Amino acid sequence: MVNNGTRMGAGRLPAVTLAMLLALPFASAQAQGEAEISKGQQFYEKVCAKCHEAGIGPVLIGRGLPEAVFKLIPRSGLRAMPAFRVSDIDDATLQSLATYLANAKPKQ
């Protein structure tokens, strides 16, 4: 096999192919995790930050609260925080948001 004008040894090709195949599940899981976080972060920045970054609601970023808190309060509401219906934020996006907020580092 020729690669960039040099001849690649036949013994080396299976090793390269094997390395690529072994890396696929990790790359796929990492991309999926980034997509989830990004979806939750995107919702936070579009909707939640309007109050929680403006001093109206409490700061949520970097609080270290469990995901369950970030799923329960948006669904049921609390004091001035309105309840969000499934038509406002679907369960998958709410889970992504909860994961994002539970793992977010404090802003500096």
Side-chain angles (χ1 to χ4, degrees), residues 37 40-46 48-54 57-65 69-70 96-108:
I37 290 173
Q41 183 175 1
Q42 184 178 30
F43 187 87
Y44 175 82
E45 291 171 356
K46 181 179 177 184
C48 309
K50 290 179 181 177
C51 292
H52 292 283
E53 297 283 324
V59 173
L60 300 178
I61 301 290
R63 299 272 310 261
L65 298 171
V69 170
F70 297 117
S96 178
L97 174 65
T99 300
Y100 167 68
L101 291 172
N103 295 301
K105 304 295 182 216
K107 291 185 176 182
Q108 297 173 341

Side-chain angles (χ1 to χ4, degrees), residues 4-93:
N4 294 334
T6 61
R7 187 167 176 91
M8 184 180 241
R12 191 163 173 221
L13 182 60
V16 171
T17 304
L18 179 61
M20 289 174 52
L21 290 174
L22 291 174
L24 280 177
F26 175 74
S28 172
Q30 183 179 7
Q32 183 178 10
E34 288 172 0
E36 269 190 45
I37 290 173
S38 144
K39 185 177 179 182
Q41 183 175 1
Q42 184 178 30
F43 187 87
Y44 175 82
E45 291 171 356
K46 181 179 177 184
V47 178
C48 309
K50 290 179 181 177
C51 292
H52 292 283
E53 297 283 324
I56 297 169
V59 173
L60 300 178
I61 301 290
R63 299 272 310 261
L65 298 171
E67 288 184 20
V69 170
F70 297 117
K71 288 172 37 178
L72 178 66
I73 294 175
R75 281 285 184 246
S76 59
L78 181 66
R79 298 188 185 127
M81 169 84 179
F84 287 84
R85 302 167 298 205
V86 176
S87 59
D88 298 323
I89 178 172
D90 61 74
D91 290 335
T93 304

